[in-house]
Every structure is written in C-alpha cells, then in structure tokens.
Amino acid sequence: MRHTTLVRTGLSALLIMGTWATVGPIQASAADSPSSSAEPQASAGIITAMQRDLGLTKSQAETRLTAEKAATALQVKARGAAGSSYGGSWFDAGSGRLTVAVTDGARAAEVRATGAQVRTVEHTARELDATKKQLDALSAPSGVSSWHVDPRANSVVVNVVASEQGDNDVRAFVAKAREAGPVTVKQTAEAPQTFAAGTVGGDPYYTGNVRCSIGFSVYGGFVTAGHCGQAGGAVRGWDNSAIGTFQGSSFPGNDYAWVSVGSGWWTVPVVLGWGTVSDQLVRGSNEAPIGASICRSGSTTHWHCGNVLAKNETVNYSQGAVHQMTKTSVCAEPGDSGGSFISGDQAQGVTSGGWGNCSSGGETWHQPINEILNRYGLTLHTA
C-alpha cells in the first residue's frame, strides 16, 4: 500500500495492509523496537489530550501520569496488606497517592507501610460486591441507568435517570436495592446507549451496516465491542477490503468480541492519535485505579481524556444489562464503539457505550481488556 494511503488513514485503527511504511513514531512490532533501559516517556498525544480535557498544564499532566503509574503498581501489595478488611482502593489526584479503605483499624499501619493512604470504613469490598450481586439478579427498568460499588462512598451506587426518578418501576427497584445492603442513589442526565453507527465512508471497520472502532491488537487479530458484530460475521476495513471474521462475540451480559485478521492485514501495538496527537505504543494492560486519568481513541471523535469514575458497574442498556464495566468521564459518540481506552501506555478496555457527546460532555463505559484476553485466551500485542 502506498505511503500516502497510510497517512490518510492514520494507520487505520492499529492495522495496516500491504507493505509497512513508517509514519511518525510508529513501530511495526516489539521486535522492531530499539531496546532501551530508560523509562518509556508518555507520548505527546497523551499529554496534549490530558491538557485539553482535564485542564492540566504539561508539567501537571506528566506529574500525574508518574503518580498514577506508581499507584497502579502499588494496588496489589496494598490490598494484600489490608487482608480480609479490604474495602476497595482509588487514586487521589489531589495527593497523588493511592488510598485504601479498611474495616479493621489494626490493619491500617500495615497498609500505610506499603506507601498507600488509609481510610477506615464500615463495609468490606466483599460485602459490597455481595450487595451488587443481588442487584444484578433484579430486572431493572429503563429509568435505572447503572449500578456499581463505590469504595469512596463505601456503598453500592444506583444511578437513576433524573427525568425517571418518580417512575413507579424505578422506585420499586430502588426499594429492593436498599433491602440488599448499603445503597446510595444518584441522578444521571441520560440513559446509556451503545456507540455503534451506520456506515460512513473512510472509517476503520464495518460489519453489515454498522461502523465501529478497533480496540487493541492481539496476536492474530484485534479486540472490540461485542455489540458491533456476531461470531462468524465478516469485517471490512476503511477501504472496504476484507480484514477478517468475528471469532467470538458476547452482548448483552458482556460487551466484547475479537476479530481474526488475514488478507494481507496484520497487527501493531499502537493506539491511534488520528493525526491530531502522536500515536501511542501499548506496553501492557495493568489496570489503573479509580480516580486515575484515562484516554480514549475512536474513529468518530478521535482522542479524548477523562478520569476513571467506577469499576465493576452494571450498565442497563435497552438491549439488556452488561456487567463488570468501567465508567469514565470521557466523552464518546456513535462510531467510537469498540475503540481503545488507555491509561499512560497501559491498555484498559474497549469502548462500549455511554451518554452525552463530545460537545456538551458525558460519560462512557468500557469493557476491561484483561477480561477479554482471559475469556478468549488472547495475548495482547505490546511494544
């Protein structure tokens, strides 16, 4: 394929076709990357998007990314120190440190010794997860947007569409939810929806008359959203040429899928900047904590950033509930479905849906990447 074509498509969503041509800082594979003992620096694209969407200076964005990386690495050790009293954890942007909730004050010193801050709470994470599990077994009306465990509130938060809060079915659901355990009710502006779109020429991939975005390269293909296509469905690229086939797909319940590639296409460990910011190499999939910054790349709205708001949230789409989602303050629009969520250089998940848009703002959920990799036995392609 001609170099000019590659520039036009911006290495269309991690995949290129034909002869490799170098565009900007993109590298074909880990094997082609020059070795270096230095700590990889965040791309200019990540920094630029954080400045725009989070209102940070360049220095503040760099400092925050460094702190978030340390907090992400600390999570497992701090949780182990908390033991059975663990009540959840989150990144505090103000202090730049990980905060861990514990129910047993005697464990506080051990957790602090790991470098984390400590907050004493009433309920353990296990108790809150059990409450959420009871809510997952209920049939939720359309006026109930979602629900998740919030470690900062030490409660299960039920999000209700503001205009529907007086609906009898919504009130009945909330009443049953309160019987299950500690529950807090909050309002949200709109009901969630998936971000697939009708066919628009020149975008990353199509299946049937649906346009979606590629998430992350895995060896043998890429991962994306399940609502974008069913197993066995053919996938076409931006130029309408065949890319491959959906090998697995799950929606609702989950919202993930993977596509095998062929016909001269191959994978690269890259998240696109779409010509407006630098492309980002993917170096792993360590899960960022609640409160950390996170950015999204999609074929409609390109690069946008925000914060991780909640994890393990059940999202009540019109097609049915989807479990174990991560909620963010990042905006998205139709066609962004399946696209990449990344924190620093660590893959986080694939775009599922949300509410709002990138003009007025909103919230977007992603299906965590590690769950997808484990479900299908895939290996993330990293630099």
Side-chain angles (χ1 to χ4, degrees):
M1 177 168 289
R2 295 178 184 269
H3 176 78
T4 54
T5 303
L6 287 175
V7 172
R8 173 180 176 274
T9 61
L11 298 180
S12 189
L14 317 190
L15 301 178
I16 59 173
M17 181 177 176
T19 302
W20 173 263
T22 301
V23 182
I26 306 302
Q27 298 171 349
S29 68
D32 297 325
S33 303
S35 60
S36 173
S37 59
E39 183 74 12
Q41 298 298 307
S43 77
I46 291 284
I47 298 297
T48 299
M50 290 177 68
Q51 289 178 259
R52 179 194 64 202
D53 295 333
L54 297 178
L56 303 175
T57 65
K58 182 174 183 290
S59 177
Q60 287 172 332
E62 292 172 338
T63 298
R64 180 162 174 176
L65 284 172
T66 299
E68 288 174 351
K69 186 170 185 178
T72 297
L74 181 61
Q75 286 183 110
V76 175
K77 184 177 181 181
R79 178 167 187 164
S84 61
S85 75
Y86 178 73
S89 62
W90 60 93
F91 176 77
D92 186 309
S95 66
R97 296 172 64 190
L98 184 75
T99 299
V100 176
V102 296
T103 58
D104 183 358
R107 288 279 190 172
E110 296 178 53
V111 175
R112 288 194 186 94
T114 69
Q117 298 182 130
V118 179
R119 180 184 296 178
T120 303
V121 296
E122 182 179 355
H123 306 286
T124 66
R126 180 173 294 182
E127 291 170 344
L128 296 175
D129 287 341
T131 297
K132 180 183 175 292
K133 187 175 181 180
Q134 292 187 60
L135 271 62
D136 286 344
L138 301 176
S139 178
S142 60
V144 177
S145 171
S146 62
W147 53 95
H148 68 274
V149 170
D150 184 347
R152 287 168 294 194
N154 197 228
S155 174
V156 175
V157 173
V158 176
N159 296 292
V160 173
V161 179
S163 61
E164 300 291 328
Q165 59 182 331
D167 179 79
N168 287 336
D169 290 339
V170 170
R171 295 174 66 180
F173 179 91
V174 169
K176 290 181 180 178
R178 293 189 188 282
E179 293 174 0
V183 164
T184 301
V185 178
K186 293 185 178 181
Q187 293 183 14
T188 188
E190 301 175 28
Q193 61 182 348
T194 56
F195 284 128
T199 299
V200 177
D203 284 289
Y205 85 87
Y206 314 103
T207 177
N209 67 342
V210 171
R211 169 171 62 89
C212 282
S213 301
I214 293 168
F216 292 95
S217 287
V218 296
Y219 286 97
F222 65 84
V223 294
T224 187
H227 70 263
C228 291
Q230 298 181 345
V235 175
R236 308 186 310 279
W238 64 269
D239 60 354
N240 208 40
S241 67
I243 294 179
T245 305
F246 276 90
Q247 296 298 314
S249 179
S250 178
F251 179 80
N254 306 293
D255 194 5
Y256 50 60
W258 85 279
V259 175
S260 61
V261 302
S263 304
W265 295 75
W266 66 82
T267 63
V268 290
V270 171
V271 172
L272 290 178
W274 295 100
T276 58
V277 296
S278 301
D279 299 320
Q280 175 67 45
L281 291 175
V282 178
R283 301 185 184 277
S285 60
N286 293 328
E287 186 177 345
I290 292 171
S293 63
I294 192 167
C295 297
R296 181 192 55 72
S297 179
S299 62
T300 300
T301 58
H302 304 164
W303 266 108
H304 285 277
C305 294
N307 299 308
V308 178
L309 300 178
K311 294 185 179 183
N312 191 22
E313 183 154 32
T314 298
V315 182
N316 190 34
Y317 292 128
S318 61
Q319 300 95 329
V322 177
H323 307 289
Q324 296 179 311
M325 303 276 270
T326 296
K327 180 164 67 177
T328 75
S329 62
V330 187
C331 67
E333 296 180 9
D336 287 328
S337 276
S340 322
F341 264 94
I342 189 166
S343 183
D345 57 12
Q346 299 296 305
Q348 298 297 304
V350 301
T351 303
S352 173
W355 62 268
N357 55 56
C358 289
S359 296
S360 60
E363 294 176 338
T364 303
W365 287 270
H366 71 256
Q367 185 88 68
I369 182 69
N370 290 326
E371 180 184 358
I372 308 171
L373 300 177
N374 292 335
R375 169 63 180 82
Y376 294 117
L378 302 170
T379 300
L380 185 68
H381 193 167
T382 59

